[in-house]
Amino acid sequence: MTSFPALRRTLLCAAVAATFSGLAYGQATTGRITGTAPAAAGETVLIEGSNGLTREVGVDANDRYTAESLPLATYKVSLKSNGNIVDSRDNVTLRVGAATDVSFAGAAPSAADAQSLGAVTVSASSLAKIDVATVASSTVITSADLARLPLQRSAEAVALLAPGASPGYTGFKNAFGGSTVSFAGSAVTENAYYINGMNTTDPLSGFGGVTLPYGAIDQQEILSGGYSAMYGRSDGGVISQVGKRGTNEWHFGAQVLWEPDFARASARNITYGHDNPAPPGSLQTRNDRNHEWTSTISAYAGGPLIKDKLYAFAAVEMERSQGNSIGDVNHAYDTKYTYKDPKWYGKLDWNINDSNILELTGINQTHRSNGNKYNYDYDTDTVGDFASPDSTYKTRAMVYVAKYTSYITDDLTLTALYGKSKLTYYNEPPDTGIVGPFIGNLSAQNPALNGGTPISNGQTLDTVDNPDHESTNRNLRIDLNYKIGSHSITAGIDNQDSHDIDDGTTIGGVGYELWYAKQDPNLNISDSPFVDKPANYPGGATGYYGYYRHYNTLASVRVKQRAQYIMDDWQINDRWLLSVGIRNDQFTNYNPAGEPYLRLTKPQWAPRVGFSWDVNGDSLFKVYGNAGRYFLAMPASVALRTSAGSLATNQYFTYTGIDNQGLPTGVTFVQSATGGAVSPNGEYGQPPDPKTVSSKNIKSEYQDEFILGADKQLNADWVAGAKATVRRLRNALDDVCDNGAIKNAAEAQGADLDNLTVGSCYLSNPGRANVYSLKNADGGYTDVTVTNADFGFPHLKRNYYGLDLYLSHPFDGTWSGKVDYLYSRSYGNTEGQVRSDVGQGSVAASRDWDYATLMNYANGDLGNDRKHQIKIYGSYQVAPEWLLSANILIQSGLPKSCLGRYGADESDPSGYGSYYHFCFGEPSAYGAKGREPWEELVDVSAEYRPLWADKKLAFSVSVFNILNQQRSQRTNPVSGSTNSVNDGYQQVISYTQPRYARFGITYDF
């Protein structure tokens, strides 16, 4: 039998590979135990878990064994010969999706030797073996890591530990008010979320997903690429959480956390950057008077209801924040708010017998917000009387998951999962007591008419979401794994159905908004659709004008997604593993009438191939690589702007006066193409024919990815690695609105334009030739092919490459650490489904690709590009009672751009104002104006676990951004024109969060 030093040298922890180099299957909820055993007749391996699970598998002719689909737990692994245990490994802890190697070397002891054999302890914290049995790229963070590291308590904050993960634009929020994250150059809506194998991604728009209470997370896997054919519907990243479960011992615990306002630094104010309407440096938004405190109370309990048979685990969490936020000078209110974020999680695990397991999971996540607005005086810095209540929001998610696993034989495993979720989005608009429209852009009021001070009616109610809005999602997965010889073949289906019910937004109050604006008076407000020059109308000689805006989207729609896959993990020999698979996705989106307007059901083959080479045959040096294609479905919300008959119009006017309520007087409507209100995207409220909504030959968004990497164990304590990633977005979906180009192509193809109905915007594959079905007067349809050259578009481009280097030291009872450096570049002419540079969150309905003029000179560094990222995190047990830890993020700034009016004459050919890739008459690509400053964010924490409390009690303090570094994260790129610079151009949109502290008391029993 091997000695323990030799064992430690050869069984050096799957934990390092899984946590630091990150090699795993995909959005898995289980792990595998695999290894070798000496050749002997009648040899088996017995696996016994802390969860009561017992499995016994045979050793094959190649002296290898594998136990698939094991729930995450701590296991004892024993080698049996002729029914007797001859060797054992205890405290083997699995990592999600990873293969944990437990090998038995040397000749098997006799039964007599086995009588006196003591089990060898092999704990995951002391092992450091590289996982050579998988080819994917992931980072696994365990509950122990979460307890040690100073992290914000969200799935997204944990995900930022992974290489290639970057914070999303601060204005993008998920359904529960939380942050978003971008992976390897992809848009923040292109990710997938999972809990215990159930897809919990936001079905409406892809902004985030349902997540676990922080204390209920057993392991969180972050995949930044290279996962198997079993999984899809993401071309960004994957955040997969596995919740805790009960074991044969009862455990209880509770925690109280407090983030007091007195330990929070003052935030930086935002000032004007141009002499319009106030001198540079003048206060625009006061942030240094904002305050907030947060408290979190959580508890858990788990253990056996029936020992070895039935287990339960439950966790609850209640986070509450209170504070105030002062609006900008044009919306001068002090809003005092309260946020409540309760969560709960429950899980039952039933070991029906040694061959069958049933798991039942329930998750609830809720976000409530409400508040009151008080008048605020910027000149005197004083808070005045109550103005109005703020809107009340309540978003609630309920998720149920059932998973059945059957070990039919040692070689055949069946897994079936069915999950349902329901989200409700209640909102209650405030009764402001004010009769009048919401007034936007007050700073653009003509100062000659308001005495130099903007006049407002005090209306705080703007748009109103439907309070009856809800969504549902169903996820069915069936997976069958069969091991035959050196092959492990898995096949299955992955089906989802989501419904978006009574979704929509209208304008509250009197049913319209009033917006003020200013531009060069001698330029058309819009060239297409035509809106005349302000100078041609009374009051417009100096470029001041306004418009009434009407907006309405109300609909119920659904999306059906189907997928089938097959894959083979082929262990060619002891050193080479080849993983080959193919996946076929089908997506169908339906309009409010239940008719498909986007049918992508032809085979969408997504091949995946990867390899793992154990260079020396000792699992200490691994070279791996993979290539794959990933398809992305369109979420339900796309229908609101493309197939549901949305209304979005502006009616422009000049004015000669402003009354005491901020309303214009002496109004003269500006001549337009329609004679009244216009819509650049043709959204006039009429539901389109579903056959004409999308390009007839439309294809799904998909991306190709290529990864090559290596992991090397330097010694028993250190692991190093490198990974190169290349991503190419091959196809995208977005709305194209240049119906003039479509008409020209139709006429060139011999069509009679008087006989055809040409719509406004079409869901298309930009950068490719599209075929549109145009309804004709005879009741049929005429197909028109419009090439990329007809539109005048460049080819679609979003390219990403990255080189990641890391060095890690696993936690050995004293300290752990990881240093990760990533050099990357994301460049092209489209960020993807959304645009972070201007904060546009309309999925697949961005300004990109509406007209060729909007894409001219676009190619450059995209809005979420970060060239350099250094991530350093770890912990140090300085004494038996004291633990110190830190998390450091050093990253280069985001690109800065300048968007203006079109061409040297600063015209507006497409009716989009100052959103072309020109800057004061000169071409200006993405990122042409340099970079935001570097950020160096340092978070630290200390924990005291006194021995007199048997280390069950802990006191902790964490300080975030301890250097209080508040750097500009993003500035406004909209420049206006030479003779009328936009007052917000180059103004800071957001700074990094100021320093704050969190105090905690924890008790675990």
Side-chain angles (χ1 to χ4, degrees):
M1 186 179 69
T2 339
S3 66
F4 182 73
L7 178 65
R8 189 171 188 269
R9 188 170 58 252
T10 56
L11 284 181
L12 296 166
C13 184
V16 175
T19 303
F20 294 117
S21 66
L23 306 168
Y25 250 127
Q27 299 89 291
T29 62
T30 60
R32 291 177 288 166
I33 294 179
T34 185
T36 59
E43 204 169 48
T44 61
V45 175
L46 176 66
I47 298 170
E48 302 167 287
S50 60
N51 54 4
L53 177 68
T54 300
R55 287 196 65 194
E56 190 166 350
V57 297
V59 180
D60 65 22
N62 296 317
D63 302 336
R64 299 187 66 86
Y65 76 93
T66 301
E68 298 277 1
S69 301
L70 297 175
L72 301 184
T74 299
Y75 289 88
K76 179 179 181 181
V77 184
S78 302
L79 177 65
K80 297 179 67 175
S81 179
N82 298 318
N84 296 310
I85 294 177
V86 295
D87 201 353
S88 293
R89 310 284 186 261
D90 208 352
N91 294 329
V92 176
T93 302
L94 301 191
R95 299 291 176 123
V96 64
T100 299
D101 189 298
V102 180
S103 293
F104 301 90
S110 66
D113 293 334
Q115 301 299 316
S116 60
L117 178 68
V120 178
T121 298
V122 182
S123 66
S125 62
S126 65
L127 301 176
K129 192 169 187 179
I130 292 172
D131 181 5
V132 297
T134 49
V135 301
S137 298
S138 76
T139 300
V140 176
I141 305 298
T142 68
S143 58
D145 299 324
L146 298 179
R148 287 193 292 261
L149 294 173
L151 297 170
Q152 297 180 11
R153 296 169 61 84
S154 71
E156 291 77 13
V158 177
L160 291 178
L161 295 176
S166 299
Y169 167 59
T170 55
F172 290 153
K173 300 295 183 184
N174 61 34
F176 304 95
S179 61
T180 57
V181 62
S182 168
F183 289 94
S186 296
V188 298
T189 58
E190 298 172 14
N191 306 321
Y193 284 66
Y194 288 80
I195 295 178
N196 288 354
M198 163 76 175
N199 191 314
T200 62
T201 312
D202 174 18
L204 303 184
S205 59
F207 281 98
V210 180
T211 58
L212 289 171
Y214 198 75
I217 301 171
D218 186 358
Q219 297 184 24
Q220 178 169 317
E221 183 182 21
I222 308 107
L223 289 110
S224 51
Y227 44 92
S228 73
M230 294 175 67
Y231 300 97
R233 299 169 192 154
S234 164
D235 62 11
V238 175
I239 296 176
S240 179
Q241 295 182 325
V242 179
K244 293 179 179 178
R245 63 179 66 210
T247 66
N248 269 328
E249 293 183 359
W250 277 101
H251 291 278
F252 310 87
Q255 185 177 58
V256 177
L257 301 172
W258 183 38
E259 297 173 11
D261 182 60
F262 70 77
R264 188 180 299 270
S266 297
R268 291 186 63 176
N269 296 326
I270 293 176
T271 59
Y272 285 105
H274 290 275
D275 195 10
N276 180 16
S282 299
L283 191 60
Q284 197 269 350
T285 303
R286 181 180 291 281
N287 292 325
D288 61 2
R289 295 292 187 268
N290 296 341
H291 301 275
E292 183 178 271
W293 64 267
T294 300
S295 64
T296 305
I297 301 173
S298 60
Y300 71 90
L305 299 177
I306 302 174
K307 192 173 183 180
D308 293 330
K309 183 66 69 173
L310 184 64
Y311 301 88
F313 185 89
V316 294
E317 177 180 289
M318 177 61 184
E319 180 179 300
R320 178 188 177 97
S321 297
Q322 287 185 283
N324 76 293
S325 176
I326 295 175
D328 61 43
V329 293
N330 298 317
H331 305 90
Y333 297 100
D334 185 0
T335 302
K336 298 182 179 180
Y337 58 82
T338 299
Y339 299 148
K340 296 179 182 179
D341 293 273
K343 292 182 176 183
W344 63 258
Y345 164 81
K347 192 167 192 294
L348 289 174
D349 292 271
W350 179 22
N351 298 332
I352 302 171
N353 52 43
D354 288 346
S355 300
N356 297 278
I357 302 171
L358 179 64
E359 304 171 49
L360 301 176
T361 303
I363 308 114
N364 178 277
Q365 182 175 3
T366 304
H367 174 68
R368 303 186 186 100
S369 68
N370 64 280
N372 293 308
K373 291 181 177 292
Y374 296 83
N375 293 314
Y376 177 78
D377 190 312
Y378 261 83
D379 293 332
T380 62
D381 185 19
T382 56
V383 179
D385 296 333
F386 171 81
S388 70
D390 199 10
S391 294
T392 297
Y393 294 94
K394 179 182 177 182
T395 302
R396 180 177 183 268
M398 190 67 236
V399 181
Y400 297 101
V401 187
K403 181 184 177 185
Y404 170 71
T405 303
S406 179
Y407 308 110
I408 300 172
T409 68
D410 287 349
D411 298 322
L412 187 63
T413 302
L414 172 70
T415 303
L417 179 146
Y418 180 75
K420 294 181 67 174
S421 68
K422 180 179 180 180
L423 280 78
T424 56
Y425 312 86
Y426 174 78
N427 77 95
E428 182 180 334
D431 181 8
T432 64
I434 297 171
V435 178
F438 174 84
I439 304 176
N441 203 19
L442 282 166
S443 62
Q445 283 182 348
N446 189 339
L449 303 177
N450 64 12
T453 301
I455 303 173
S456 173
N457 59 2
Q459 178 63 273
T460 59
L461 180 61
D462 188 6
T463 57
V464 177
D465 296 329
N466 187 353
D468 297 322
H469 182 203
E470 63 183 41
S471 68
T472 62
N473 185 41
R474 292 181 297 173
N475 188 191
L476 171 66
R477 286 194 62 100
I478 299 176
D479 305 293
L480 186 66
N481 174 260
Y482 180 51
K483 296 194 299 295
I484 177 170
S486 58
H487 297 266
S488 178
I489 300 171
T490 309
I493 62 171
D494 178 10
N495 297 342
Q496 277 186 257
D497 291 282
S498 59
H499 288 70
D500 184 15
I501 304 165
D502 293 331
D503 191 0
T505 301
T506 59
I507 294 175
V510 292
Y512 67 90
E513 299 167 332
L514 167 63
W515 286 81
Y516 286 100
K518 180 183 181 293
Q519 66 164 56
D520 187 327
N522 298 309
L523 297 176
N524 288 338
I525 294 173
S526 172
D527 294 331
S528 177
F530 169 73
V531 181
D532 205 2
K533 303 174 180 64
N536 291 342
Y537 301 87
T542 53
Y544 288 95
Y545 65 97
Y547 57 92
Y548 299 119
R549 175 166 173 79
H550 291 82
Y551 185 84
N552 186 347
T553 60
L554 289 172
S556 295
V557 296
R558 64 188 178 100
V559 179
K560 182 169 72 174
Q561 303 176 53
R562 298 289 183 266
Q564 309 81 39
Y565 79 91
I566 186 169
M567 57 178 286
D568 179 15
D569 285 340
W570 178 21
Q571 191 72 50
I572 300 173
N573 54 42
D574 288 344
R575 298 192 181 190
W576 283 92
L577 170 71
L578 180 65
S579 179
V580 180
I582 193 163
R583 179 183 176 93
N584 180 26
D585 282 289
Q586 304 97 45
F587 311 132
T588 306
N589 293 56
Y590 296 86
N591 70 4
E595 302 167 306
Y597 71 91
L598 183 62
R599 192 193 294 271
L600 301 166
T601 54
K602 293 181 179 179
Q604 299 184 125
W605 300 114
R608 315 278 172 84
V609 60
F611 75 91
S612 172
W613 176 31
D614 184 0
V615 178
N616 300 319
D618 56 7
S619 300
L620 301 181
F621 181 25
K622 169 183 174 177
V623 176
Y624 65 97
N626 50 64
R629 175 164 291 180
Y630 302 87
F631 285 90
L632 186 66
M634 290 295 99
S637 64
V638 173
L640 300 183
R641 298 290 298 274
T642 59
S643 70
S646 58
L647 174 71
T649 63
N650 300 332
Q651 186 166 18
Y652 295 89
F653 60 84
T654 59
Y655 57 97
T656 58
I658 301 174
D659 69 15
N660 60 4
Q661 293 297 304
L663 305 181
T665 60
V667 168
T668 303
F669 289 107
V670 176
Q671 184 179 350
S672 70
T674 65
V678 298
S679 174
N681 290 339
E683 295 176 85
Y684 292 99
Q686 295 86 9
D689 184 332
K691 294 181 179 179
T692 67
V693 168
S694 303
S695 167
K696 190 174 181 179
N697 62 332
I698 197 166
K699 302 285 193 300
S700 292
E701 178 173 325
Y702 70 90
Q703 179 171 264
D704 290 339
E705 179 184 69
F706 308 91
I707 294 175
L708 181 64
D711 297 296
K712 179 73 168 69
Q713 183 174 311
L714 304 179
N715 54 40
D717 299 316
W718 291 94
V719 176
K723 182 179 73 171
T725 302
V726 175
R727 285 181 165 190
R728 296 284 187 268
L729 183 66
R730 302 297 191 187
N731 198 45
L733 277 78
D734 211 324
D735 58 339
V736 173
C737 304
D738 191 354
N739 52 25
I742 297 174
K743 290 177 182 178
N744 292 338
E747 190 171 32
Q749 293 166 39
D752 181 4
L753 293 182
D754 294 333
N755 192 44
L756 298 178
T757 300
V758 181
S760 52
C761 296
Y762 294 85
L763 198 58
S764 308
N765 292 137
R768 296 176 179 263
N770 287 268
V771 179
Y772 301 102
S773 291
L774 307 181
K775 197 165 188 177
N776 56 47
D778 300 327
Y781 301 88
T782 299
D783 290 345
V784 175
T785 300
V786 188
T787 67
N788 207 42
D790 291 334
F791 278 123
F793 284 140
H795 290 292
L796 174 83
K797 182 191 287 188
R798 186 184 78 188
N799 295 338
Y800 172 88
Y801 59 80
L803 176 62
D804 179 57
L805 307 172
Y806 79 87
L807 179 66
S808 69
H809 182 288
F811 190 72
D812 58 4
T814 301
W815 75 282
S816 68
K818 180 180 180 184
V819 180
D820 188 286
Y821 169 71
L822 175 69
Y823 172 79
S824 64
R825 189 183 177 207
S826 181
Y827 62 98
N829 53 25
T830 187
E831 185 177 325
Q833 291 186 337
V834 296
R835 279 185 60 175
S836 61
D837 65 319
V838 292
Q840 188 174 26
S842 299
V843 177
S846 69
R847 294 184 180 92
D848 287 352
W849 307 107
D850 285 1
Y851 295 89
T853 52
L854 294 165
M855 302 306 296
N856 292 162
Y857 302 103
N859 186 43
D861 293 335
L862 294 172
N864 56 5
D865 175 52
R866 298 228 185 230
K867 276 193 167 55
H868 305 279
Q869 284 187 317
I870 302 172
K871 298 179 179 182
I872 305 170
Y873 57 89
S875 57
Y876 179 36
Q877 191 80 47
V878 295
E881 298 178 314
W882 288 94
L883 177 72
L884 303 179
S885 61
N887 180 26
I888 302 171
L889 172 61
I890 303 171
Q891 57 186 357
S892 56
L894 294 168
K896 296 173 71 173
S897 300
C898 177
L899 302 174
R901 292 175 71 96
Y902 186 81
D905 59 351
E906 299 186 282
S907 61
D908 186 10
S910 304
Y912 280 69
S914 185
Y915 282 92
Y916 302 94
H917 291 280
F918 284 85
C919 188
F920 305 119
E922 298 292 332
S924 181
Y926 282 120
K929 297 302 176 182
R931 293 269 171 170
E932 301 291 348
W934 279 64
E935 299 174 21
E936 299 89 23
L937 304 175
V938 180
D939 304 332
V940 298
S941 68
E943 180 187 80
Y944 171 59
R945 284 187 176 269
L947 293 176
W948 54 261
D950 198 23
K951 303 186 81 170
K952 293 184 173 74
L953 179 67
F955 303 90
S956 64
V957 58
S958 301
V959 182
F960 298 88
N961 190 9
I962 193 170
L963 303 178
N964 196 27
Q965 182 194 89
Q966 298 186 50
R967 299 278 173 82
S968 169
Q969 294 178 310
R970 193 178 295 276
T971 51
N972 189 344
V974 182
S975 66
S977 63
T978 301
N979 295 326
S980 181
V981 179
N982 175 31
D983 60 3
Y985 176 52
Q986 292 184 336
Q987 183 175 296
V988 174
I989 295 174
S990 64
Y991 291 103
T992 46
Q993 189 176 22
R995 180 181 57 237
Y996 70 98
R998 182 174 70 204
F999 301 90
I1001 302 175
T1002 305
Y1003 186 79
D1004 298 286
F1005 176 78

